[in-house]
């Protein structure tokens, strides 16, 4: 074959160029540390790189944000629940003292301060927040668990009325003792029998305690049996329906009545004792939020054991639980215009039981981080403390009366002294009865705290289990992060030693081709012709 | 007995012959590096001998230069040109695919997938803290970046299409110039050769131009000897005559007023022969740079719009049924000024509308001129917009990123619209939207129903080029819907409050990342991955073919050089050879001189 100079030079040039291209490619890898610069260098690596990067971005989000946040949320909740547990134990001990008579009933203030202190602590714990988000309030992390200040009453310019439906059970009905009668001092009475005739006694009533006192009104009480048949009692009468919603006639003649302790105390003569219920009556006491069931109603409630009560309430005290955290309810916001309250907004609050805040912990797993107040903190604790305070007050009120009567005794005319002594005797009896009721409250307090502690324990155990799961997920994600980082660097990043060696060898070939070209094109026949 | 001075004449002929040979060598040597130059050689033959009726027969009469010829083998020319066209095709594809790839900086974690990932990261963060306006802002800004990366791709693809289009025009101009030059050189060659000479250097020049033409398209040449010893020289581009001896045709470039793709840049060029014959821009045998430019500019991976219609004479509306495109996300026909092929005829349409009839899309085109069916039977005919171009070019990539933008935006919006914002309102806002081209206003996106809908009011209006985050959300991040909407959102007086942390909607949005049903390729990330894979494979293929073809062309070039190339050693040797011969002839003359001297001056005295 004929070989010409042009063939050699073009050949040389294309060889030099090929080596240059190779050197350039290896140089890119060396300089960037990346195996490929564009998808066409290796589409398979390009696509895998994209896949791994997406996974890595996700894992980083999980590991750096979602998982640590979930864990610290749970840590804070756990801490608060620990505080609640301590508090419950303290209240329980206190109630035990009360039951066993270790409590010196001498200083009203110290007892009430202690009880108020418990309430305050519960308030602090219930309103625990994680970075400004309340932890016990479900999705409503922007609302505290308990009112931070008292709310407006209906007499103010604007106010919010809650309509709450509270579901209770037959088992929640407790037998409540109350004092009937009791001596009242009347000036000028000389016959001791007058006071003896007013001797106080203890009666029992069937009581259902609602979560709130100081109610506006109870609208209706609905009793439901296991099949769904209902008996609805309101202030006008009773309607009964079978399980298919068909009216049952005749319905029982139950009736819902309002009573007030204040009315009775101010004018016992014209008002019935609020705890005295007729057989067909359901009485609600607006100050305490107690329902008193008459005996016929009680008999029905044995089978119609689901007792659902709808009531409205406007004024809340500081430390009262916000109803939306425990109950499905409706809040209606009113504003006064020209003296008339006008409804401005209605908000429906759904059942809070579904408000689990779930954090994405990895591609497939979600973890509920929050604990709902209704599952961890028994709302009865608050009301129990209130009841204890009022029972303590009753005891001290009687005590005050005795002190006052003893003073009167000293200055009383001789002919009244016997009568006053009889009066004091009656008061002493009343005091004993009041103390007995207080003890009953303390006993009930033990039950309440025990139940509260059980609830708390379940919640603590639950969050503990979730926390452990979170930690497990965290360590697994860390492993995954390592694996994927390795996979990514295996395919996408070049091994630096390899890159250097490959670059050097590419350079070597380039130099060789240059040298060869310089040699081969240097000489020709002319160099030898003289 | 020959003439007494016969020997002197032989010597003189030798001097002439070798001088000519030396000149040719000099010509070769000085053109050793001239592009397209073919080595020439002087062909010497022994002069016709004198026939003497003598005993010893004929007597040689010296040497004569019979011709100077180029050493060229037409076989290697054809081979070179054929392969050069393929090389140019691959080269152009590799170049433009590299350019397109550089717009998708996916490998360097800066592209659409990276944008998508950071958007989902923000969503995941938001689902943990729904009320946090900082994270909400992070979501809108990452979504904005994501949308902008799609806009950038769209613009870049359009820029590339403009470049391709411009290059087609430039090449058409060059072909025209070459055609003119070939015709003029052919005239010169024929003028020379009619006298019986060889126009070697002119031929070299002509072949060089044809070589250059082969870069643009497949060329073929034919030379036919005619009776008048003048050759007919024909150059054809993909079978169409470019030059016929002294005559040549030019390519006329016109900017099209109609289009066949929604996303094409305006004024794509159309080529036409000056003879009136159409230029087969879609021809699979066109070859060269032109084929790759057309394929890259118009390639839709065989996916054009087609369907059927019932013809009615004089109708100004065409209702297309049984269309192959039954998804708005994949619809990329022009909104206005489109070119519709009805049977064998073409009609322009002003606008079109879509309706959904029992789950099937019907397209209603408003024609600029009424239908004429005089030469066609009334009845069902095929409808299409644009041709099936098998290559994956700009229209294909546009279609893909549009499909991605539309499908993703729709899935995202459908969830977002069902949610309630931080104000407790369900405003049914879209999250992603697009803009109307003229006014710049945000699109009112709706579904296609049984009523005729303007396409711009559907997701057709949203493209990768105009996708954006809704202004209302950018201005007020609290309007991002996060919670489940009210059971009866129509009652403005009743507001069902599920609480701040209700992240149902955000979580559903976040789960779109793993939604394998969104695309037939799977999740949004999978779609982008397979898109990158398609682009990468096309680029790799072009580069591999390029490398292989470079070797083949180099080989063809080597073969040509082997035959036609000038070699310095050879020419040096020729110089020595011919000089020696010249010297010898010169010696012959001096010897002859001596014998004449002897004969004339000294003999017989």
């Amino acid at each position: 074959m004929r070989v010409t100079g042009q063939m050699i030079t073009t050949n040389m040039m294309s060889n030099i160029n090929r080596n240059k291209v190779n050197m350039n490619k290896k140089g890119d890898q060396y300089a960037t540390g990346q195996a490929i610069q564009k998808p066409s260098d290796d589409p398979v690596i390009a696509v895998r790189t994209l896949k791994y990067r997406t996974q890595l971005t996700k894992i980083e989000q999980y590991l750096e944000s979602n998982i640590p946040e979930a864990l610290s949320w749970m840590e804070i909740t756990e801490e608060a629940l620990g505080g609640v547990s301590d508090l419950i134990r303290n209240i329980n001990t206190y109630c035990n003292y009360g039951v066993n008579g270790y409590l010196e009933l001498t200083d009203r203030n110290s007892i009430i301060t202690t009880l108020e202190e418990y309430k305050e602590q519960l308030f602090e714990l219930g309103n625990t927040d994680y970075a400004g988000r309340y932890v016990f309030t479900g999705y409503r992390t922007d609302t505290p668990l308990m009112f931070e200040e008292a709310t407006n009453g209906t007499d103010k310019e604007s106010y919010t009325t809650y309509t709450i439906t509270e579901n209770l059970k037959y088992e929640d009905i407790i037998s409540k003792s109350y004092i009937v009668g009791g001596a009242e001092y009347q000036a000028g009475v000389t016959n001791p029998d007058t006071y003896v005739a007013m001797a106080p006694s203890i009666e029992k009533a069937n009581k259902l305690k609602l979560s709130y006192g100081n109610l506006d009104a109870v609208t209706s009480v609905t009793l439901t049996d296991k099949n769904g048949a209902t008996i609805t009692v309101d202030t006008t009468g009773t309607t009964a329906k079978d399980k298919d919603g068909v009216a049952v006639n005749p319905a029982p003649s139950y009736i819902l009545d309002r009573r007030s302790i204040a009315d009775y105390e101010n004018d016992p003569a014209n008002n019935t004792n609020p705890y005295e219920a007729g057989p067909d009556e359901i009485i609600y006491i607006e100050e305490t939020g107690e329902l008193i069931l008459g005996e016929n109603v009680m008999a029905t409630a044995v089978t119609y054991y689901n007792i659902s009560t709808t009531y409205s309430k406007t004024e809340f005290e500081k430390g009262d639980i916000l109803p939306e955290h425990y109950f499905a309810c409706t809040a209606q916001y009113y504003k006064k215009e020209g003296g008339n309250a006008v409804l401005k907004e209605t908000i429906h609050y759904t059942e809070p039981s579904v408000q689990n805040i779930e954090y994405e912990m990895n591609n497939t797993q979600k973890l509920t981080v929050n604990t709902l107040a209704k599952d961890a903190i028994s709302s009865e604790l608050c009301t129990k403390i209130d009841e204890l305070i009022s029972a303590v007050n009753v005891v001290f009120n009687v005590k005050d009366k005795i002190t006052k009567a003893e003073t009167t005794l000293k200055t009383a005319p001789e002919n009244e002294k016997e009568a006053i002594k009889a009066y004091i005797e009656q008061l002493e009896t009343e005091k004993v009865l009041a103390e007995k009721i207080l003890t009953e409250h303390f006993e009930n307090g033990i039950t309440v705290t025990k139940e509260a502690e059980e609830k708390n324990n379940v919640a603590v155990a639950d969050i503990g289990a979730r926390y452990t799961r979170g930690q497990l997920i965290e360590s697994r994600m860390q492993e995954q992060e390592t694996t994927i980082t390795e996979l990514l660097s295996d395919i996408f990043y070049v091994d630096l030693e390899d890159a250097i060696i490959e670059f050097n060898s590419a350079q070597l070939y380039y130099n060789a081709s240059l040298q060869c070209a310089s040699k081969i094109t240097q000489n020709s026949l002319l160099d030898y012709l003289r | 007995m020959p003439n007494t001075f016969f020997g002197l004449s032989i010597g003189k002929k030798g001097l002439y012959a070798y001088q000519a040979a030396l000149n040719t060598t000099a010509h070769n040597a000085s053109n050793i590096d001239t592009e397209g130059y073919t080595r020439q050689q002087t062909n010497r033959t022994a002069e016709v001998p004198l026939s003497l009726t003598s005993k010893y027969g004929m007597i040689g009469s010296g040497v004569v230069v019979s011709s100077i010829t180029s050493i060229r083998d037409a076989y290697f020319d054809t081979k070179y040109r054929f392969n050069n066209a393929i090389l140019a095709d691959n080269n152009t594809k590799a170049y433009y695919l590299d350019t397109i790839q550089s717009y998708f900086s996916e490998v360097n974690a800066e592209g659409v997938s990276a944008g998508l990932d950071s958007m989902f990261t923000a969503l995941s963060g938001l689902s943990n803290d729904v009320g946090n306006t900082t994270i909400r802002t992070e979501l809108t800004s990452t979504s904005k970046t994501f949308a902008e990366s799609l806009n950038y791709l769209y613009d870049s693809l359009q820029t590339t299409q403009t470049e391709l289009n411009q290059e087609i025009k430039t090449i058409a101009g060059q072909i025209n110039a070459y055609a003119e030059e070939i015709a003029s050189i052919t005239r010169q060659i024929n003028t020379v050769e009619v006298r019986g000479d060889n126009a070697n250097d002119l031929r070299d020049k002509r072949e060089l131009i044809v070589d250059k033409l082969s870069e643009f398209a497949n060329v073929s040449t034919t030379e036919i000897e005619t009776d008048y010893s003048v050759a007919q020289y024909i150059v054809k581009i993909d079978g169409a005559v470019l030059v016929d001896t002294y005559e040549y045709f030019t390519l006329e470039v016109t900017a099209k007023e109609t289009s066949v793709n929604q996303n094409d840049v305006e004024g794509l060029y159309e080529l036409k022969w000056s003879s009136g014959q159409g230029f087969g821009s879609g021809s699979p045998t066109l070859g060269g740079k032109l084929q790759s430019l057309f394929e890259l500019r118009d390639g839709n991976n065989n996916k054009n719009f087609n369907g059927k219609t019932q013809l009615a004479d004089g109708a100004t509306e065409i209702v297309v049924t049984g269309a192959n495109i039954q998804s708005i996300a994949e619809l990329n026909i022009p909104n206005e000024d489109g070119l519709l092929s009805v049977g064998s005829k073409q009609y322009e349409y002003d606008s079109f509308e879509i309706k959904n009839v029992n789950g099937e899309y019907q397209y209603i085109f408003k024609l600029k001129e009424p239908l004429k069916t005089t030469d066609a039977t009334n009845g069902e005919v095929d409808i299409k917009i644009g041709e099936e171009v098998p290559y994956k070019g700009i229209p294909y990539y546009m279609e893909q990123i549009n499909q991605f933008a539309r499908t993703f935006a729709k899935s995202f919006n459908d969830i977002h619209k069902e949610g309630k914002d931080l104000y407790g309102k369900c405003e049914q806002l879209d999250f992603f939207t697009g803009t109307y081209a003229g006014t710049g206003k945000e699109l009112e996106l709706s579904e296609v129903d049984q009523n005729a809908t303007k396409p711009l009011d559907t997701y057709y209006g949203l493209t990768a080029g105009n996708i954006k985050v809704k202004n209302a959300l950018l201005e007020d991040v609290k309007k991002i819907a996060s919670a489940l909407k009210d059971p009866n959102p129509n009652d403005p007086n009743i507001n069902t409050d599920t609480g701040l942390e209700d992240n149902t909607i955000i979580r559903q949005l976040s789960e779109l990342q793993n939604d394998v049903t969104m695309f037939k390729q799977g999740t949004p990330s999978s779609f982008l991955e397979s898109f990158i894979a398609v682009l990468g494979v096309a680029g790799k293929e072009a580069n591999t073919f390029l490398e292989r073809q470079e070797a083949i062309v180099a080989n063809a070039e080597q073969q040509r050089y082997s035959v036609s190339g000038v070699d310095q050693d050879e020419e040096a040797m020729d110089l020595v050879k011919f000089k020696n011969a010249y010297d010898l002839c010169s010696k012959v003359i001096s010897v002859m001189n001596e014998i004449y001297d002897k004969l004339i001056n000294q003999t017989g005295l």
Side-chain angles (χ1 to χ4, degrees):
Chain A
M1 185 179 150
R2 181 170 177 265
V3 176
T4 67
Q6 263 168 320
M7 282 168 77
I8 292 173
T9 47
T10 46
N11 228 344
M12 279 299 134
M13 278 319 292
S14 77
N15 286 339
I16 290 173
N17 196 48
R18 198 179 310 127
N19 287 331
K20 243 185 196 163
V21 167
N22 194 29
M23 191 171 67
N24 184 37
K25 194 178 161 192
K26 299 293 177 204
D28 271 349
Q29 292 188 344
Y30 185 14
T32 61
Q34 300 177 357
I36 57 167
Q37 314 298 326
K38 51 183 190 297
S40 62
D41 289 348
D42 191 332
V44 176
I45 289 185
V47 168
R48 278 200 197 147
T49 304
L50 283 183
K51 229 173 224 147
Y52 291 146
R53 272 227 194 89
T54 305
Q55 282 180 14
L56 211 53
T57 322
K58 275 196 220 167
I59 291 174
E60 272 165 15
Q61 165 72 15
Y62 296 138
L63 269 180
E64 282 164 23
S65 165
N66 294 17
I67 296 178
E69 270 182 37
L71 291 181
S72 37
W73 180 299
M74 287 190 278
E75 277 161 22
I76 282 174
T77 313
E78 239 179 343
E79 216 169 280
L81 285 180
V84 173
S85 168
D86 290 347
L87 180 65
I88 293 171
R89 222 163 297 136
N90 287 346
I91 299 173
N92 182 275
T93 314
Y94 199 76
C95 289
N96 258 316
Y97 283 173
V99 170
N100 298 320
Y102 296 138
L103 217 53
E104 295 278 330
L105 289 175
T106 46
D107 186 356
R108 182 203 291 242
N109 280 341
S110 86
I111 295 174
I112 289 178
T113 314
T114 312
L115 289 171
E116 292 279 356
E117 181 62 28
Y118 288 149
K119 239 186 125 176
E120 181 66 24
Q121 280 181 30
L122 193 61
F123 172 77
E124 295 289 338
L125 290 166
N127 282 354
T128 301
D129 69 284
Y130 168 64
R133 298 154 78 196
Y134 295 104
V135 295
F136 288 119
T137 52
Y139 286 168
R140 289 179 251 280
T141 55
D142 51 345
T143 16
L145 180 64
M146 297 167 185
F147 284 104
E148 286 173 322
E149 51 192 30
T151 62
N152 287 344
T154 46
D155 52 334
K156 296 285 177 2
E157 269 308 294
S158 65
Y159 57 88
T160 303
T161 302
Y162 279 92
T163 307
I164 304 164
T165 304
E166 187 170 351
N167 296 317
L168 293 165
K169 284 198 166 8
Y170 178 74
E171 299 90 272
D172 296 322
I173 301 173
I174 52 171
S175 164
K176 181 197 161 94
S177 306
Y178 64 98
I179 299 170
V180 179
E184 287 298 322
Y185 176 70
Q186 291 162 345
V189 172
T190 51
N191 186 359
D193 290 346
T194 314
Y195 290 115
V196 175
M198 293 195 278
S201 62
I202 278 194
E203 291 290 329
K204 296 271 186 185
N206 298 312
K207 177 190 89 167
L208 207 50
K209 178 77 179 79
L210 297 172
S211 291
Y212 296 95
N214 196 10
L215 309 177
D216 295 352
V218 174
T219 346
S220 67
V221 176
T222 304
L223 306 168
T224 313
D225 77 355
K226 62 171 189 247
N227 297 322
T230 57
I231 295 172
T232 304
V233 183
D234 60 24
T235 48
T236 57
T238 307
T239 45
K241 282 177 183 165
D242 68 8
K243 63 180 177 7
D244 303 316
V246 179
V248 175
N249 282 312
S253 52
Y254 303 148
I255 190 119
L256 182 65
D257 272 332
R258 170 194 163 276
R259 298 267 174 87
S260 155
I261 293 175
D263 287 354
Y264 175 66
E265 281 179 353
N266 292 338
D267 187 4
N270 290 318
N271 286 291
T272 327
N273 188 319
Y275 292 103
E276 263 173 41
D280 284 343
E281 262 184 328
I282 300 175
I283 287 164
Y284 74 88
I285 303 169
E286 61 174 25
E287 286 99 333
T288 59
E290 287 166 313
L291 290 178
I292 309 299
L293 309 181
E295 51 186 304
N296 292 345
V297 182
M298 267 305 276
T300 310
V302 175
T303 45
Y304 288 69
Y305 48 77
N306 281 318
I307 304 162
S308 148
T309 312
T310 307
Y311 54 96
S312 57
K313 177 171 167 65
T314 304
E315 267 181 277
F316 289 90
E317 299 290 320
K318 176 192 171 185
D320 277 352
I321 286 165
L322 271 81
E324 60 258 44
H325 300 316
Y326 280 78
F327 311 107
C329 55
T330 306
Q332 287 174 306
Y333 175 73
Y334 291 93
K335 201 168 177 177
K336 287 217 172 120
E337 279 171 12
N340 296 321
V342 178
L343 177 62
K344 287 290 178 191
E345 200 186 353
T346 306
I347 301 173
H348 285 303
Y349 291 106
T350 49
E351 177 69 25
S353 59
V354 292
Q355 301 204 319
N356 291 335
I357 298 179
E358 289 184 324
Y359 271 43
E360 231 180 88
M361 305 294 271
N362 63 25
N363 271 348
T364 50
Q365 283 171 300
K366 293 196 184 70
L367 197 63
T368 304
V369 297
N370 67 329
T371 302
L372 290 171
K374 63 193 283 282
D375 297 333
I377 303 171
S378 168
S379 67
E380 287 169 28
L381 271 181
C382 257
T383 45
K384 193 71 238 168
I385 293 171
D386 284 341
E387 278 188 340
L388 280 172
I389 291 173
S390 70
V392 166
N393 274 331
V394 171
V395 173
F396 279 98
N397 284 344
V398 181
K399 276 192 165 183
D400 286 352
K401 272 189 188 167
I402 293 170
T403 320
K404 209 173 149 198
E406 277 167 352
T407 323
T408 322
L409 182 63
K410 281 175 195 154
T411 54
E414 276 307 316
N415 63 346
E416 287 182 20
K417 278 194 174 163
E418 276 308 309
I420 291 174
K421 275 182 188 160
Y423 170 55
I424 291 176
E425 218 166 277
Q426 294 308 319
L427 285 180
E428 289 291 352
T429 317
E430 197 177 337
K431 192 189 111 189
V432 171
L433 293 179
E435 280 174 359
K436 206 179 153 202
I437 291 172
L438 178 61
T439 311
E440 228 173 65
H441 274 297
F442 277 127
E443 271 168 4
N444 179 239
I446 293 172
T447 322
V448 168
T449 48
K450 269 198 179 140
E451 280 167 10
E453 188 157 20
E454 269 167 32
K455 206 173 206 182
N456 182 275
N457 284 344
V458 171
V460 169
D462 176 52
I463 203 165
R466 278 188 274 140
Y467 190 83
T468 317
R469 215 179 119 216
Q471 281 177 320
L472 274 177
I473 294 174
E474 185 177 31
S475 64
R476 205 165 53 233
M477 289 312 278
Q478 276 161 346
E479 277 167 30
Q480 258 191 46
E481 189 189 28
T482 321
T483 317
I484 291 179
T485 312
E486 269 172 20
L487 283 173
L488 182 62
S489 59
D490 273 358
I491 59 157
F492 184 64
Y493 295 103
V494 284
D495 197 13
L496 200 57
E497 288 91 334
D498 288 354
I500 295 173
I501 291 170
E502 280 177 16
F503 176 70
N504 282 341
S505 85
Q507 206 181 18
L508 194 70
Y509 285 122
Y510 173 60
N511 285 336
S513 63
L514 285 181
Q515 203 170 12
C516 173
S518 75
K519 285 252 157 63
I520 210 162
T521 50
Q522 221 168 34
N523 296 334
S524 76
L525 182 60
L526 287 175
D527 296 317
Y528 300 95
L529 290 176
R530 282 286 166 268
Chain B
M1 187 69 203
N3 187 317
T4 318
F5 299 107
F6 185 55
L8 198 61
S9 163
I10 292 176
K12 185 193 76 180
K13 280 182 188 162
L15 280 185
Y16 284 166
Y18 288 105
Q19 194 168 9
L22 277 169
N23 283 342
T24 306
T25 309
H27 187 53
N28 280 340
S30 46
N31 280 305
I32 193 161
D33 219 11
T34 304
E35 195 187 5
Y37 181 76
T38 310
R39 180 168 62 108
Q40 294 176 14
Q41 67 181 22
T42 46
N43 300 312
R44 294 173 299 281
T45 48
E47 181 67 287
V48 184
L50 296 178
S51 172
L52 301 168
T53 46
S54 64
K55 299 194 274 219
Y56 53 81
M58 301 178 91
I59 186 157
S61 61
V63 68
V64 71
V65 175
S66 60
S67 64
I68 299 177
T69 50
S70 287
I71 322 265
R72 177 181 275 277
D73 188 335
Y75 167 71
F76 291 125
D77 287 341
T78 318
K79 190 175 170 189
Y80 171 82
R81 286 166 196 161
F82 173 75
N83 285 305
N84 196 35
I86 299 175
L87 175 69
D89 179 12
N90 290 324
N91 206 353
T92 315
K93 278 175 185 158
Y95 168 77
Y96 278 103
L97 287 171
D98 276 0
T99 312
I100 295 172
Q101 279 183 64
S102 70
Y103 297 136
F104 291 82
S105 7
E106 302 300 320
V107 169
N108 297 317
E110 289 151 6
V112 180
S113 351
L116 190 70
D117 286 351
S118 40
M119 193 176 99
F120 277 115
T121 306
L123 263 178
S124 174
L126 187 57
S127 82
N128 300 338
D129 193 355
V130 177
N132 191 324
T133 45
T134 315
I135 308 184
R136 278 172 175 256
T137 312
E138 199 184 316
L139 174 62
T140 50
S141 59
T142 49
S143 313
K144 196 168 164 245
T145 314
F146 163 70
E148 280 168 356
S149 65
L150 280 170
N151 300 160
Y152 170 74
L153 275 188
Y154 184 92
D155 292 347
S156 306
L157 287 174
Q158 281 208 330
T159 311
T160 310
Q161 201 180 31
T162 311
E163 280 170 25
L164 289 163
N165 195 35
Q166 205 52 49
E167 203 170 341
I168 288 174
K169 192 186 180 188
T170 314
I171 286 177
Q174 259 171 323
I175 290 177
N176 292 344
Y178 286 151
E180 188 185 354
E181 215 177 332
I182 291 172
S184 119
I185 293 173
T186 305
R187 184 184 292 278
Q188 292 177 41
I189 290 172
N190 281 355
T191 315
V192 172
E193 293 190 347
V194 77
R195 299 193 303 258
D197 296 341
N198 286 331
N200 291 328
D201 295 302
L202 288 171
R203 279 178 174 272
D204 281 352
K205 220 170 152 187
R206 189 168 71 182
E207 297 304 319
L208 182 64
I209 295 171
V210 180
D211 278 358
K212 287 191 172 159
L213 267 179
S214 74
E215 193 186 323
F216 300 147
N218 272 329
V219 285
S220 58
T221 58
T222 12
E223 202 169 0
I224 307 159
E225 293 293 336
T226 61
D227 296 344
Y228 314 102
S229 77
V230 175
Q232 191 189 3
Y233 188 73
I234 299 165
V235 183
K236 285 181 179 172
I237 282 188
D238 190 24
V241 176
L242 175 71
V243 182
D244 184 356
T245 320
Y246 309 144
E247 268 181 62
Y248 64 92
F249 298 103
T250 52
L251 287 170
E252 283 169 1
V253 183
T254 43
K256 283 193 270 189
E257 280 173 7
T258 56
S259 59
V260 291
N261 285 312
Q262 182 191 9
N263 312 293
D264 278 348
V265 291
E266 271 182 35
L268 288 185
Y269 293 121
E270 198 174 23
L271 298 188
K272 220 174 171 183
W273 287 111
S274 56
S275 60
Q277 199 189 339
F279 184 83
S281 55
S283 159
T285 51
L286 177 58
K289 233 175 166 177
L290 271 181
Q291 177 169 355
S292 57
L293 290 174
F294 279 119
E295 282 181 340
L296 284 162
R297 193 190 75 172
D298 304 328
N300 55 15
N301 196 26
N302 277 334
K303 195 170 170 185
N304 64 343
F305 176 90
N306 57 56
K308 295 201 179 302
T309 192
Q310 292 291 332
L311 272 191
D313 191 31
T316 52
E317 264 191 10
I318 285 186
V319 178
V320 177
T321 52
N324 63 336
I325 290 173
Q326 291 293 334
S327 149
I328 288 294
E330 292 172 32
L331 185 66
N332 285 296
I333 58 176
N335 179 42
E336 47 185 22
D337 298 330
L339 196 63
L340 197 63
S341 303
V342 183
S344 57
K345 288 194 160 188
Q346 294 202 313
Y347 290 91
E348 285 179 31
Y349 65 82
D350 251 334
S351 62
F352 73 99
E353 286 178 346
I354 318 168
K355 63 177 161 182
N356 186 337
V357 180
N358 302 327
E360 199 207 64
Y361 284 160
Q362 277 188 5
Y363 300 85
I364 303 125
F365 293 93
K366 308 251 189 296
L367 298 181
K368 288 187 176 171
E369 280 168 16
L371 275 173
K372 285 191 198 109
T373 54
T374 41
D375 53 351
T377 48
N378 282 13
E380 201 173 60
V381 286
D382 289 333
I383 292 284
K384 63 176 178 179
I385 296 176
E387 299 295 325
E388 288 184 355
V389 185
Y391 195 72
K392 287 170 185 159
I394 301 283
Y396 167 77
Y397 293 119
M398 286 281 200
E399 192 262 349
Q400 290 286 297
I401 59 170
N402 273 352
Q403 191 187 337
F404 176 75
R406 289 167 180 165
T407 312
F408 185 78
K410 185 167 188 306
S411 312
F412 210 86
N413 290 348
D414 284 352
I415 295 174
H416 188 261
K417 275 161 98 168
E418 291 304 302
K420 200 167 70 169
D421 60 20
L422 275 194
Y423 298 109
K425 299 241 160 54
C426 176
E427 291 196 42
Q428 299 221 316
L429 286 182
D430 287 326
F431 190 93
F432 287 109
T433 185
T435 47
Y436 289 106
T439 58
K441 276 194 188 148
E442 288 184 346
L443 298 175
E444 308 278 345
L445 297 169
S446 60
E447 300 278 339
V448 178
D449 53 21
Q450 68 275 18
N451 300 318
T453 320
K454 285 202 163 45
L456 286 186
D457 293 334
T458 69
Y459 276 89
Y460 166 88
L462 188 151
T463 64
N466 65 20
I467 186 172
K468 64 188 284 267
V469 179
K470 194 123 180 130
N471 276 341
L473 300 178
L474 288 174
E475 282 158 12
D476 186 357
V477 291
K478 285 188 176 173
K479 286 197 173 172
I480 297 174
S482 47
L484 213 56
K485 73 174 176 193
D486 292 354
N488 50 351
N490 298 329
D491 188 346
N493 295 318
I494 298 179
N495 175 9
T496 303
D497 183 282
T498 45
L500 178 73
E501 299 285 336
D502 182 357
N503 60 359
T504 319
I505 295 297
I506 298 293
R507 231 167 38 210
Q508 285 176 7
L509 290 176
S510 179
E511 274 158 14
L512 283 180
Q513 189 173 21
N514 306 319
D515 182 1
V516 291
T517 58
M518 195 188 292
F519 297 99
K520 70 169 187 288
Q521 291 89 340
T523 64
S525 299
S526 307
F527 182 94
L528 289 174
E529 280 156 17
S530 58
F531 180 72
I532 292 305
V534 166
L535 185 59
V537 167
K540 192 180 167 68
E541 195 181 75
N543 276 306
T544 313
F545 283 162
L546 177 63
E547 236 168 79
R548 204 182 58 195
Q549 199 56 31
E550 266 170 350
I552 293 173
V553 170
N555 188 16
E557 224 170 7
Q558 291 286 323
Q559 287 172 332
R560 269 219 307 203
Y561 281 140
S562 176
V563 175
S564 309
V566 180
D567 182 57
Q568 52 177 340
D569 294 336
E570 200 176 52
E571 299 307 322
M573 187 59 90
D574 277 357
L575 272 182
V576 174
K577 235 164 61 182
F578 295 144
K579 182 173 171 291
N580 286 347
Y582 188 88
D583 286 353
L584 197 59
C585 289
S586 154
K587 189 68 187 174
V588 167
I589 288 175
S590 47
V591 169
M592 286 299 166
N593 192 35
E594 276 174 33
I595 64 165
Y596 295 141
D597 184 50
K598 204 70 167 180
L599 181 69
I600 297 164
N601 294 329
Q602 296 174 31
T603 310
L605 289 179

